[in-house]
Amino acid sequence: MSAADSDPNAPETDWSDRIGVSRPLVITAARVIVTSPGRNFVTLKIETDQGVYGIGDATLNGRELSVVAYLNEHICPLLIGRDARRIEDTWQLLYRGAYWRRGPVTMRAIAAVDVALWDIKGKALGAPLHELLGGKSRDRVMVYGHANGSDIGETVDAVGRYIDLGYQAIRAQTGVPGLVNAYGVGRGELHYEPADASLPTETVWDTRRYLAHVPKLFERLRDTYGPEPRLLHDGHHRMTPLEAAQLGKSLEPFDLFWLEDVTPAENQEAFRLIRQHTTTPLAVGEVFNTIWDCKDLIQEQLIDYIRATIVGAGGLTHLRRIADFASVWGVRTGCHGATDLSPVTMGTALHFDAWVPNFGIQEYMRHTPETDEVFPHDYRFEAGFMIPGERPGHGVDIDETLAARFPYVPRQLPVARLTDGTMWNW
């Protein structure tokens, strides 16, 4: 355990005094660490011949061990002996060098390597990641929290608690009358983990009831809290394009910050129909893996926020390209930041958010105290904003001794069926 782990006020190791930038940083080891301090996380640790190491997140919620196998069997052996400074070349090797490329498993494995190498480079240079990206575009990062309830009244109260905590933006979800286990209704006030069983839990869905109920929630929220809070809502890919258009239009009087994931985005052209019928801002992309998943959505300005995230979209190296492309078309970032991403991804995302010129907002779901202990970090929350850390690299570490106390626990995400039994999008 480092001094910074035992004493949060202790200075971080200054690798730059020992290493500089002139000598290669030869990778000598790459190890996968699986731990479950409240939920499962997959972490890649890359070590070099000069003692500096970096860590990256490879978590794929409900399919964690598939990425573990990909890393152990196919990626880690490729890394040994390579120069850790050559981040771009390594990214191209792992992407172009895999004939069967793209997809959530491959891109999460690449993201873990990419983030670990950026972490190493930051430590070697004695600089936080935002400095390596080009410096800050802002001093703090606006985030949104998740407020939910089994009914409208509970959700309204939950939004009030987030406002009291200083949040300026809040995602609001509510239970739907007649439906059990509605999406987004968590089992605690600040923590929400949907992966809940070793085999998928089956839930029931009825879009017609949902469409009739959700506008009532936002009418109550505006009547209660006025126009100031930025309000968001997640449809979780459950509507047809026309249903999504109807919801967007019905929510226009309540001035949402965004309406997220209204329909499955494999069909990017579907958003043309939605765009024609509503001015409610649209966000999508937490399940995207490459720029090709969102190229048409961005180029045709069919969305307002791109939600691709570092761990899902191949790391900092590739997410920067998505963000730069989005900036050309006036699309802003809104990175996914649920608890299925470890603090490693959150810490890295905040450096990205501090730098990216076309920043929109950052999702922020609080991790459990056990998770925060396993992954000590130097980012912090202040009155509705996150403040990125200033330690070299991404500023997040892993306490391997503590991590070993939380073994892997099989957990899968639920599935959904319509009321007639048809399998639907969860």
Side-chain angles (χ1 to χ4, degrees), residues 39 41 143-146 161-162 164-167 189-193 337-341 343 346 363-369 371-372 379-386:
R39 58 118 31 246
F41 297 108
V143 298
Y144 70 89
H146 288 203
R161 288 192 290 272
Y162 273 93
D164 291 342
L165 289 170
Y167 284 82
E189 290 186 5
L190 295 176
H191 308 293
Y192 171 56
E193 175 48 60
T339 48
D340 60 354
L341 314 178
M346 178 55 67
E363 181 179 19
Y364 172 54
M365 290 181 67
R366 294 166 184 251
H367 289 105
T368 65
T371 296
D372 287 335
Y379 60 78
R380 66 188 190 277
F381 175 83
E382 288 185 3
F385 292 84
M386 294 294 286

Side-chain angles (χ1 to χ4, degrees), residues 13-66:
T13 302
D14 186 358
W15 297 103
S16 61
D17 287 346
R18 296 170 47 195
I19 298 167
V21 295
S22 59
R23 292 186 294 162
L25 285 162
V26 179
I27 297 173
T28 56
R31 297 185 291 109
V32 181
I33 304 163
V34 181
T35 183
S36 186
R39 58 118 31 246
N40 295 317
F41 297 108
V42 178
T43 305
L44 177 68
K45 186 172 185 177
I46 296 178
E47 301 172 354
T48 68
D49 62 338
Q50 296 183 51
V52 61
Y53 65 87
I55 61 173
D57 182 16
T59 305
L60 177 56
N61 196 359
R63 296 291 187 271
E64 295 89 356
L65 298 187
S66 61

